[in-house]
Amino acid sequence: MIEDPNTGIAVLESDLSDGDALVPVTEPQVPAKVSTRAARKTRGLIVTAALDTFMHYGYQRTTLELIAKETGLSRTSLYHHFRNKEEMFIASIEKINTDVIMRAQKAARSALPIEDKICAILECKLGFHVDLMASNRHRQELLSEGARLAGDLIGETRTKLEKLTTRAINDSIHLGELDLRSAECSPSELASLIYSAVTGLFHEFDQTNDTQAFHKNLWRMVRLMIDHLQRR
């Protein structure tokens, strides 16, 4: 009698075919969850360091060596998470956009009046970008590279912001605060019009670099567009 090492059941030697042997089966190794968490933490550290480095040096002058120095990791360690500088730049934009949407969702859930709520949603992206880029000498380069490498991400963020604005407008209509019949447009069309109009202010800021004027005119423009649609 031989004991099967896998089951603990006794087996007659005569039941085994020639050449057969009872070999213990090794269970597959499952990576520890802590390793996954550690990898995510390291990736987040790299993205944060990459964003700071891009903001300081611009896209062209930023190197993997500079990012590695900022993280305190070796260049080889960076390659475990990203293939090149381009991927790190895209991940940096993705991080910014994720933070923008989270803040915009919080603004959309607020109890602010509709015009203030829309302004707060738009400020999460456009106002944030104005403040972020106001004194950055690499602004044009970073915006250009962002459009080239991550135009789809930027477009997705605009779509999400317009949807949040549309939802806020719909809620206001259901509460009897807004009436769009005189404007002859749907809530989603109004949201797109508002976003396009305010984007024009961003381009104006690009020429004047006046952050205070941008924030003031954003609120003015939204209030002017919403005011005549409010029920009295």
Side-chain angles (χ1 to χ4, degrees):
M1 300 285 286
I2 301 175
E3 183 177 293
D4 188 329
N6 300 307
T7 64
I9 299 174
V11 180
L12 290 173
E13 290 186 61
S14 58
D15 290 339
L16 298 175
S17 303
D18 292 340
D20 283 348
L22 293 174
V23 180
V25 177
T26 302
E27 290 293 327
Q29 294 295 315
V30 179
K33 288 186 178 180
V34 67
S35 297
T36 303
R37 288 197 298 270
R40 285 200 296 265
K41 184 177 180 180
T42 302
R43 180 184 172 88
L45 173 68
I46 294 171
V47 172
T48 299
L51 178 57
D52 290 342
T53 308
F54 286 126
M55 292 297 294
H56 185 74
Y57 292 98
Y59 181 79
Q60 297 299 333
R61 290 180 58 207
T62 292
T63 63
L64 293 180
E65 286 80 5
L66 287 170
I67 296 173
K69 183 179 180 180
E70 183 72 18
T71 62
L73 300 171
S74 67
R75 179 169 172 168
T76 301
S77 297
L78 300 184
Y79 283 121
H80 289 309
H81 301 272
F82 299 96
R83 290 179 296 179
N84 49 46
K85 178 176 77 172
E86 181 177 303
E87 284 193 356
M88 292 184 197
F89 188 69
I90 293 171
S92 298
I93 293 177
E94 191 170 25
K95 170 180 167 50
I96 290 174
N97 288 349
T98 298
D99 292 345
V100 162
I101 294 302
M102 288 179 63
R103 291 196 301 273
Q105 288 171 336
K106 183 177 179 180
R109 292 192 298 268
S110 70
L112 291 170
I114 182 59
E115 66 272 24
D116 293 342
K117 183 180 293 189
I118 292 173
C119 284
I121 291 171
L122 296 176
E123 279 278 9
C124 289
K125 176 174 170 56
L126 298 172
F128 168 74
H129 278 256
V130 162
D131 294 334
L132 183 67
M133 293 292 188
S135 58
N136 194 304
R137 66 181 184 276
H138 306 293
R139 180 170 70 206
Q140 293 301 330
E141 179 194 356
L142 292 171
L143 291 174
S144 176
E145 292 297 335
R148 180 177 71 88
L149 297 173
D152 55 338
L153 291 176
I154 295 170
E156 287 172 10
T157 301
R158 170 170 179 158
T159 298
K160 289 176 182 178
L161 290 174
E162 286 189 11
K163 285 182 177 180
L164 287 172
T165 305
T166 299
R167 192 179 307 160
I169 293 169
N170 267 319
D171 290 344
S172 188
I173 291 172
H174 293 151
L175 290 172
E177 297 171 346
L178 288 183
D179 185 350
L180 304 191
R181 287 176 294 183
S182 63
E184 297 183 349
C185 68
S186 67
S188 61
E189 288 171 334
L190 177 58
S192 182
L193 284 170
I194 291 173
Y195 196 100
S196 295
V198 174
T199 301
L201 293 178
F202 183 79
H203 294 311
E204 181 179 312
F205 155 78
D206 203 31
Q207 302 298 319
T208 65
N209 206 42
D210 189 336
T211 57
Q212 287 188 336
F214 172 85
H215 293 294
K216 186 175 183 179
N217 289 334
L218 184 152
W219 289 78
R220 279 177 171 173
M221 182 172 289
V222 172
R223 283 176 175 142
L224 283 170
M225 295 181 75
I226 293 297
D227 185 64
H228 77 283
L229 300 173
Q230 291 180 313
R231 290 180 182 272
R232 303 301 181 189

